[in-house]
Amino acid sequence: MTTTDARPSAADATEPVVRTHAGAVRGRREDGLTVFRGIPFAQPPVGYARFMAPRPVRSWDGVRDAYAFGPPPPQDIGIVGRTGALEASDGDDWLTVNVWTPDPDPAARRPVMVWIYGGAYKLGHAGSPGYDAQRIARDGDLVVVSLNYRVGMEGFAHIEGAPANRGLLDQVAALEWVRDNIAAFGGDPGQVTVFGESAGAGSVASLLSMPGTAGLFRRAIAQSVPGTFFSAELARDIGTALAAEVGLRPTVADLSTVDPRRLTSAGEALGPKMAQYVDRWGQAAPTATPFSPVVDGEVLPTTPWQALSAGAARDIDLIVGHNRDEFRLFLAMGGRLGRTTEEQATAALRLYAPGPGGETAYRAAFPDASPSELYERVQTDWLFTMPSLHLAQAQVAGGGRAHVYELTWSAPAHNGALGACHGLDIPLLFGTYQADLGVLLFAGVESSAEAEALSSRFRASWTGFARTGDPGWDTYDGERRLVQVFDAEPVVGAYPEEASRRLWEGYEFAALPLLG
């Protein structure tokens, strides 16, 4: 990025200048909004700071052009996190934020929504085209912020001599930047809502649980919360295996010798081989995802379910929900839709179904299900739907309020074969049907009036919640169990996945253990 001398404020109204605590930034007027991209909120995590907690950004003189997204953090190769059509800069300035605002007037005091991307804690970039937040900011008349955080080896691997959960610490630093600077962009630092999907939702759940986040946000939205949180012992064992993939020890001294963009090869190499570690890593092994938040006792003292049950977030308004057919996306991407054998279904039920009689209970609850359907159902429940529902239940148990939803509308591509799969809520919320994951879910299909109506409903609920704490439907409780069902005809009714809810009743989502 470049810095120049400040120009007179009246020189060009299409390039407004805002002064942050670290220095002035110049944005651009775009379709009725002012957009600032690639503003650093912390120093680049390189050199001595490579595996450390984020450090405050250094101030600069003059005006910094905030036209391009900051570079993506080093990461695995995947379909999410592409820079794509939206321009991103090069370099090591990974820790940046982006701001969409109707008017950078400090007197405006609009609600603020802060987006945290997903990507299995190993990939993602706030500048991905699918996360273009202009429709949310414009439709909701509020300020939207997105942020980069370290992923994969840089952000979540267990490394001796480094703090755990560095990616989460990056998110906290970005929220501190919002607290200290967003008023200058027309936002209200007392009206901040964090929202995220998949690993972003797991991050939101973690932020609700972490000491030191008090006052950084007032509301939270968690879309498809993953149930994978690692114990310190499991994280240490996986970290050793990751380092071994590049012939090193899992220490700061060793791993610092490898360029960050090359170190991603460790995760890329280990992921496909994780299934062979099932005797040691248990349920984590078949996920092919060697990164998750670590319950280390310091950065993350307990799991989010334990923390919320104890009242850690009772003062935070919460929306949490999931999609009906979450796991189907991964089956489709692996070319395995409808190809599950009885043996594979049995193995999945024995590994993931709750309790010693879990396999039998699942077969009894879904007597007409095929092997493929059982295989998908139990992994959908274990990985996303039940962690999400139980987070809402924990919030209520801890004295807080939670609104629950389920998306049941099917992605239009492939004649609806993907169902309401994982990630479908992203293009619907952002209105980005032909970007990133939307390319797969809306492939060859123009956005329909039905999709547009549902997309508008998502944004209205989310932005209304950010403004008032009310998304337009009742809170969840243990008796009525009312949820918002998002479909072609959205309705509010009893939680639809009652069979699964009963199977998982009383189950505790604990940190995944090291077995051997």
Side-chain angles (χ1 to χ4, degrees), residues 18-324:
V18 167
R19 184 163 297 278
T20 73
H21 282 23
V25 292
R26 179 183 294 115
R28 285 176 171 158
R29 289 293 293 174
E30 299 176 5
D31 299 323
L33 299 171
T34 301
V35 184
F36 300 82
R37 298 183 174 94
I39 305 172
F41 66 83
Q43 293 182 40
V46 295
Y48 171 78
R50 171 77 176 275
F51 297 112
M52 298 296 109
R55 299 178 298 168
V57 65
R58 294 190 180 97
S59 60
W60 60 85
D61 297 324
V63 180
R64 188 176 186 127
D65 291 338
Y67 300 156
F69 291 108
Q75 57 191 258
D76 280 7
I77 299 169
I79 65 166
V80 184
R82 299 173 301 170
T83 52
L86 296 185
E87 180 186 359
S89 60
D90 297 321
D92 299 323
D93 236 341
W94 311 322
L95 302 184
T96 59
V97 294
N98 317 293
V99 182
W100 289 259
T101 177
D103 181 14
D105 177 1
R109 309 288 287 188
R110 287 179 168 86
V112 180
M113 298 187 71
V114 180
W115 171 251
I116 302 176
Y117 55 73
Y121 305 105
K122 64 182 179 181
L123 52 96
H125 176 218
S128 293
Y131 305 145
D132 185 355
Q134 59 172 306
R135 295 187 71 175
I136 298 175
R138 188 180 299 111
D139 290 3
D141 189 34
L142 43 68
V143 178
V144 181
V145 178
S146 64
L147 60 96
N148 277 357
Y149 62 95
R150 283 173 284 181
V151 295
M153 293 292 291
E154 304 297 315
F156 289 95
H158 182 279
I159 300 173
E160 294 176 22
N165 302 306
R166 298 171 298 280
L168 297 179
L169 294 176
D170 292 344
Q171 296 167 17
V172 173
L175 287 168
E176 291 172 342
W177 182 94
V178 170
R179 177 196 62 198
D180 297 339
N181 293 281
I182 204 62
F185 295 85
D188 182 353
Q191 282 267 81
V192 174
T193 298
V194 292
F195 67 127
E197 182 268 349
S198 195
S203 296
V204 168
S206 299
L207 291 168
L208 289 166
S209 314
M210 292 168 62
T213 59
L216 294 180
F217 55 93
R218 183 175 178 180
R219 300 185 176 103
I221 304 173
Q223 304 168 211
S224 302
V225 180
T228 50
F229 283 71
F230 291 169
S231 66
E233 296 76 17
L234 177 61
R236 186 178 300 112
D237 204 59
I238 293 177
T240 299
L242 284 163
E245 291 292 340
V246 289
L248 298 172
R249 298 172 302 165
T251 66
V252 167
D254 273 24
L255 296 177
S256 293
T257 66
V258 184
D259 182 275
R261 292 167 183 83
R262 292 185 57 200
L263 191 56
T264 59
S265 65
E268 292 167 356
L270 180 62
K273 299 188 291 188
M274 286 181 64
Q276 66 187 263
Y277 291 86
V278 69
D279 290 341
R280 289 182 63 80
W281 300 345
Q283 294 172 324
T287 66
T289 302
F291 308 105
S292 276
V294 181
V295 180
D296 66 319
E298 296 181 16
V299 176
L300 195 59
T302 66
T303 67
W305 300 274
Q306 291 173 304
L308 268 61
S309 292
R314 64 165 59 98
D315 296 327
I316 305 294
D317 297 325
L318 176 64
I319 292 177
V320 61
H322 57 75
N323 305 345
R324 182 189 58 207

Side-chain angles (χ1 to χ4, degrees), residues 314-350:
R314 64 165 59 98
D315 296 327
I316 305 294
D317 297 325
L318 176 64
I319 292 177
V320 61
H322 57 75
N323 305 345
R324 182 189 58 207
D325 310 306
E326 296 272 9
F327 199 73
R328 196 171 302 177
L329 174 70
F330 308 108
L331 294 175
M333 292 172 61
R336 292 160 42 216
L337 267 181
R339 297 182 179 179
T340 304
T341 65
E342 178 61 38
E343 292 74 18
Q344 290 171 323
T346 297
L349 288 167
R350 290 176 178 173

